[in-house]
């Protein structure tokens, strides 16, 4: 699983059933509340300061995800 999926700000859909469940989750208030909290954490970890390097941190994360695949 990709780090962005592990951080719970993205959904992983390996098949049609997973995709349908992911779509249904977008209507679930508890899921959306948790998503909001997880996304705050993700942005704190990877874009946490305005230093013109947040894009580089996100790019490095994406490259890491590609290598792990």
């Amino acid at each position: 699983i990709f780090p962005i999926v592990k951080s719970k700000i993205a959904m992983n859909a390996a098949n049609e059933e997973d995709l349908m469940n992911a779509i249904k989750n977008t209507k679930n208030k508890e899921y959306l509340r948790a998503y909001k909290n997880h996304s705050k954490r993700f942005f704190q970890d990877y874009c946490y300061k305005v230093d013109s390097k947040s894009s580089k941190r996100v790019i490095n994360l994406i490259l890491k995800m590609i290598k792990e695949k």
Side-chain angles (χ1 to χ4, degrees), residues 8 10 12-13 17 21 26 32-33 36 38 40 43 47 59 61 64 66 68:
K8 299 182 182 178
N12 186 31
E17 183 180 348
N21 288 331
T26 63
L32 293 175
R33 190 176 312 116
K36 185 176 179 180
H38 293 300
K40 282 182 186 178
F43 285 105
C47 306
I59 289 169
L61 174 64
K64 181 180 174 185
I66 291 169
E68 289 178 358

Side-chain angles (χ1 to χ4, degrees), residues 27-69:
K27 295 181 180 182
N28 180 310
K29 289 183 182 182
E30 282 184 41
Y31 175 84
L32 293 175
R33 190 176 312 116
Y35 171 83
K36 185 176 179 180
N37 291 332
H38 293 300
S39 63
K40 282 182 186 178
R41 175 65 188 207
F42 177 83
F43 285 105
Q44 286 172 351
D45 290 347
Y46 293 99
C47 306
Y48 57 92
K49 53 185 171 179
V50 181
D51 61 359
S52 71
K53 295 181 184 178
S54 60
S55 295
K56 185 174 182 173
R57 286 189 290 275
V58 172
I59 289 169
N60 287 337
L61 174 64
I62 293 168
L63 293 173
K64 181 180 174 185
M65 291 167 45
I66 291 169
K67 287 179 185 177
E68 289 178 358
K69 189 175 184 183

